[in-house]
Amino acid sequence: MSTGSIAYTPEQKKSGFGRVRWQIAGVLGFGQFVNYIDRVNLSVATPEIMKSFDISAAQMGVVSSAFLWTYAMLQLPIGTIIDKIGVRWVNRVGVLLWAVASFASAAAGGLGLLIVARLVLGIGEAPAVPAAWKAIGQWFPKHERGTATSVFDGSSKMANVLGVPVMAFLVSTYSWHAAFIFTGVMSLLFLALWWVLYDSPKTALAKGRLSEAEYEMIRAGGAEDEDAVTASSLHGVGYLLRRRKTWGLALGFASYTYAYYVLLTWLPGFLEKQFGVNLLKGGLYTMIIWLVAVIAQFLIAGLLMDRWIARTGHVTRVRRIVLVSSLLASLAVTGAGYVDSIAMAVVFLSIGAAGLAVSVPAGSSIVSLIAPEGYTGTMGGIVNFVANMIGISAPIITGIIVDTTGSFAGAFIFTGVVLVAGILSYTIVLGKMDRIAPPPTRQSTPSA
């Protein structure tokens, strides 16, 4: 596969290509914003839920991870379903379940219903990430995917920037139940927007929403063919699971997922326990941390990385440099457990969160680069499955370490070890980021 710069015709350059693809990125981004508001509400409400139900940190870790049980287990089948029937309808059903889960959480009077609601949320959110990765692969040329992924994933961090103080206000002013009612309403709003605004490129072209020039530019830039024929689901999954590149990417992305879930589920609790800040003040500190992460992600992993790739054509080298540098920066989270000043803790956590955020567009955009044509959903499902099977343990391990030691320091050190393992996976196991050959027919010999 050539990794050189893409040449466009004078007619294409003159046309400006159009902006429909960025409207799609905005829709995906808003969905991710709501998606993560659905997750951050529990982390903000954690101290109040623990008091309300009189439970330990380890028990709360189980509640926090319940969402991931169904979410992770569904990643393998949901990826192949997306490849078969498309992004649009799978997400319609999924988003409806987001709303159901949020309203059920608000109605919970004990751990039982709350855990069931989180399990339902995991089912509903299972398609979100692999569907978005597939949509970006279909809608964007290779040299724009870093920015597109930054819009998408950066919205999840904006859910922390904006969502944490809003959730903190609702929980402090009303009750923790109010936070879940709010996210239920947001989910219904996104469902309406998705239903109206999302189309595949060919459907948008047929409807007249997408110009011929923009469609051809997307295709010339290496976008995935939405009509590519896939083999049977089990055959595709089994084939990709035997590829070393799949495991290099999956384990690398898993290191980010573990560290991110530590911060997502325990950051407000850490600030309260370590420094005694109240919920509202902790929400403001959390907002600062994630705002730094969003800015770094968009500027470095979005604009800078895409321009660097477009100028040099070195798809593998640029992404690997960004990945390794960002994950090294994310190790700063380990320092937060050893400082006495909340200001220094915010500095360490901001650097660490920024490193994690920058790693995402570089890492997740690799899915559509290495997946065989027509298998981006399947590859994304595998990557997200492995990542979240490991991520499931993050809230629980953190809670156990805190209960055992009385401090978050050991939990942050363990997170650093996981991140180092991720760097090794991205560099040694993954190898060159070129497209895997499609699954062979029974008459042919599988490629290595």
Side-chain angles (χ1 to χ4, degrees), residues 57 273-274 337-338 397-414:
K273 182 177 180 63
Q274 193 85 351
Y338 294 91
I397 290 175
T398 302
I400 291 173
I401 293 175
V402 172
D403 278 344
T404 303
T405 66
S407 168
F408 279 84
F412 287 157
I413 288 294
F414 187 84

Side-chain angles (χ1 to χ4, degrees), residues 179-232:
F180 292 96
I181 294 174
F182 178 85
T183 54
V185 173
M186 290 286 289
S187 297
L188 291 177
L189 174 61
F190 175 60
L191 176 60
L193 291 175
W194 179 267
W195 202 287
V196 173
L197 296 178
Y198 186 83
D199 286 309
S200 68
K202 285 190 176 179
T203 302
L205 180 66
K207 289 181 177 179
R209 286 184 59 202
L210 181 65
S211 69
E212 189 73 36
E214 186 173 6
Y215 178 77
E216 290 301 326
M217 184 277 288
I218 292 169
R219 295 293 300 137
E224 179 183 345
D225 181 5
E226 60 190 273
D227 291 331
V229 178
T230 63
S232 67

